[in-house]
Amino acid sequence: EGIMSGKREKACGVDVHSKFIMATILSTDGLKLQKRFDTSQEDLLMFKNWLKENGCHKVALESTGNYWLPIYYVLEGSVNFILANAYQIKHIPGRKTDALDSEWLAEICLKNLITPSRIFTGDYRELRSLTRTRESLIKVRTKIKNQVTHELEAACIKLSSAISDVFGKSGRHIVDGLLNGIDLDAILDSVPSKKVKANKEKIRATIQASLSSSQITLLRSLLNTIDAITRQIEEIDSKILEKISSRSEDMKIALSMPGMGFISASTILAEIGDFRDFSSANKLAAYCGLVPSVYQSAGKLINGHITKHGSPHIRGMIIEVAHAIIRTKRISKLKKFFLRIKARRGAKIGIVAL
């Protein structure tokens, strides 16, 4: 910046909408240019030329949704691209109206008041898209599984009280047999698991009624959907495996932790991106929103609940891993830590602390 101080500085603020962008160039000597562009590739290239013609090499825009991505792809490498975090710029004083307009962005960019958000590039972004898609597919599948359990219970088939997983091998064997109208004894005699077979009488007691034709149609449809989603998840898993192979060292470190499996490790690594962006463990924890918020009361600093800034995906996964750690039989250092806090503050706070 020092070299530039003799010259006049210019910055462009971009207000991004789904169909168009509004751009404003401001300079330190009071120049103001404003122009609207569509979000088509053609128009975005015109926007790039407009910046070039006006000698503007600094562009700031807000990181809402994925709307900023096409603009980033067009401008990458030709300007200093600053992605502003909505939460951070909202708290910069001097803002008059609620709407985030391009002029205000240009102004705070010119004054260097924006702390740029991290931008995930290439493989990092692709890996994160894969793990997030996987997460949403799991959510949909769980919802449909609950619907199946609900439909079976409505038909007086309460399998879940006798079998640990209705959607496991034996569970599906029984449900598919019932849908195909096979005799219950024949179904139970051919169950693949010896353990489940030993529970024959208990299972028989949970099946009180037979299914009507419309219930069969509905359950078949739901089960086919579950199977289709499972296949998609498996496809995504093999893609994740492919993408993460370049980070085998990171993966080894992540998997060395108790409670961590391939999926949780790859999700956490995908959400972190390049860990070298963080100068300390505490900065990384803050990025995940897992550090306590601090507030002042009567001159004393008090730690409150976690800030919950940053990615909810990584927080959810880290908390899942924490649950896995406390379920392990082995009393590890981490489990001891949890038990100590649980005794003092309760299980919920213990999990988050862990």
Side-chain angles (χ1 to χ4, degrees), residues 77-95:
S78 64
V79 298
N80 176 3
F81 188 93
I82 299 164
L83 192 61
N85 179 313
Y87 181 84
Q88 190 241 336
I89 43 181
K90 217 197 242 131
H91 292 86
I92 294 174
R95 183 93 194 99

Side-chain angles (χ1 to χ4, degrees), residues 120-164:
F120 281 59
T121 50
D123 275 356
Y124 288 119
R125 184 195 313 286
E126 283 179 18
L127 179 61
R128 196 176 61 172
S129 292
L130 287 167
T131 55
R132 286 186 177 183
T133 304
R134 184 186 196 283
E135 188 186 326
S136 49
L137 285 172
I138 295 269
K139 277 186 184 151
V140 174
R141 188 177 66 180
T142 305
K143 206 173 164 185
I144 301 172
K145 280 183 174 179
N146 291 340
Q147 207 179 333
V148 169
T149 313
H150 184 77
E151 285 300 329
L152 287 171
E153 284 180 358
C156 291
I157 298 169
K158 295 185 167 42
L159 268 178
S160 49
S161 60
I163 296 184
S164 59

Side-chain angles (χ1 to χ4, degrees), residues 18-288:
S18 57
K19 302 270 191 286
F20 68 94
I21 62 170
M22 200 68 189
T24 306
I25 294 177
L26 292 182
S27 76
T28 38
D29 59 4
L31 165 90
K32 175 180 153 186
L33 299 164
Q34 206 162 38
K35 203 164 178 186
R36 181 187 154 136
F37 299 90
D38 285 340
T39 48
S40 65
Q41 184 73 8
E42 200 182 342
D43 257 42
L44 291 178
L45 287 168
M46 278 162 64
F47 168 55
K48 184 180 175 176
N49 285 332
W50 181 70
L51 291 170
K52 208 165 152 190
E53 282 160 17
N54 289 292
C56 179
H57 304 293
K58 207 166 156 189
V59 177
L61 44 89
E62 193 194 4
S63 63
T64 38
N66 277 336
Y67 291 154
W68 60 274
L69 263 173
I71 304 162
Y72 172 69
Y73 287 139
V74 167
L75 298 181
E76 194 181 5
S78 64
V79 298
N80 176 3
F81 188 93
I82 299 164
L83 192 61
N85 179 313
Y87 181 84
Q88 190 241 336
I89 43 181
K90 217 197 242 131
H91 292 86
I92 294 174
R95 183 93 194 99
K96 295 294 180 287
T97 56
D98 224 14
L100 192 127
D101 68 352
S102 54
E103 200 174 328
W104 162 247
L105 264 172
E107 199 179 311
I108 55 176
C109 178
L110 206 52
K111 293 176 180 163
N112 295 319
L113 293 174
I114 303 173
T115 312
S117 287
R118 296 168 71 229
I119 295 173
F120 281 59
T121 50
D123 275 356
Y124 288 119
R125 184 195 313 286
E126 283 179 18
L127 179 61
R128 196 176 61 172
S129 292
L130 287 167
T131 55
R132 286 186 177 183
T133 304
R134 184 186 196 283
E135 188 186 326
S136 49
L137 285 172
I138 295 269
K139 277 186 184 151
V140 174
R141 188 177 66 180
T142 305
K143 206 173 164 185
I144 301 172
K145 280 183 174 179
N146 291 340
Q147 207 179 333
V148 169
T149 313
H150 184 77
E151 285 300 329
L152 287 171
E153 284 180 358
C156 291
I157 298 169
K158 295 185 167 42
L159 268 178
S160 49
S161 60
I163 296 184
S164 59
D165 180 13
V166 178
F167 300 94
K169 248 193 180 139
S170 299
R172 276 301 292 268
H173 175 83
I174 296 168
V175 174
D176 289 337
L178 291 172
L179 293 181
N180 293 329
I182 298 170
D183 177 64
L184 188 55
D185 287 321
I187 297 171
L188 294 177
D189 285 337
S190 55
V191 164
S193 152
K194 284 196 180 85
K195 200 170 133 203
V196 177
K197 219 179 248 175
N199 262 346
K200 223 152 93 166
E201 292 318 307
K202 196 177 170 190
I203 295 169
R204 192 192 303 280
T206 65
I207 301 170
Q208 299 289 335
S210 57
L211 296 159
S212 71
S213 68
S214 58
Q215 282 170 324
I216 289 174
T217 307
L218 181 63
L219 284 163
R220 268 211 184 113
S221 159
L222 293 171
L223 289 169
N224 286 341
T225 309
I226 289 171
D227 294 340
I229 295 173
T230 302
R231 282 194 298 274
Q232 287 174 322
I233 291 169
E234 282 162 5
E235 261 174 51
I236 287 178
D237 283 348
S238 62
K239 266 270 176 276
I240 289 174
L241 191 59
E242 210 176 283
K243 281 268 169 251
I244 209 131
S245 58
S246 58
R247 296 173 72 182
S248 55
E249 197 48 44
D250 298 355
M251 200 63 180
K252 225 189 291 178
I253 295 168
L255 288 171
S256 69
M257 288 182 238
M260 190 77 80
F262 169 73
I263 291 306
S264 44
S266 48
T267 302
I268 289 167
L269 290 177
E271 292 293 328
I272 288 172
D274 188 351
F275 67 87
R276 293 171 199 82
D277 291 353
F278 303 98
S279 54
S280 71
N282 214 21
K283 290 223 165 93
L284 173 55
Y287 175 76
C288 301

Side-chain angles (χ1 to χ4, degrees), residues 280-324:
S280 71
N282 214 21
K283 290 223 165 93
L284 173 55
Y287 175 76
C288 301
L290 284 164
V291 294
S293 49
V294 177
Y295 55 94
Q296 214 169 359
S297 174
K300 227 166 79 177
L301 289 179
I302 296 171
N303 282 343
H305 294 294
I306 56 167
T307 61
K308 291 193 179 175
H309 288 172
S311 154
H313 307 274
I314 192 166
R315 266 197 310 283
M317 194 47 89
I318 288 179
I319 284 181
E320 229 172 88
V321 172
H323 276 286

Side-chain angles (χ1 to χ4, degrees), residues 10-21:
K10 280 183 186 170
C12 175
V14 183
D15 191 12
V16 188
H17 300 265
S18 57
K19 302 270 191 286
F20 68 94
I21 62 170

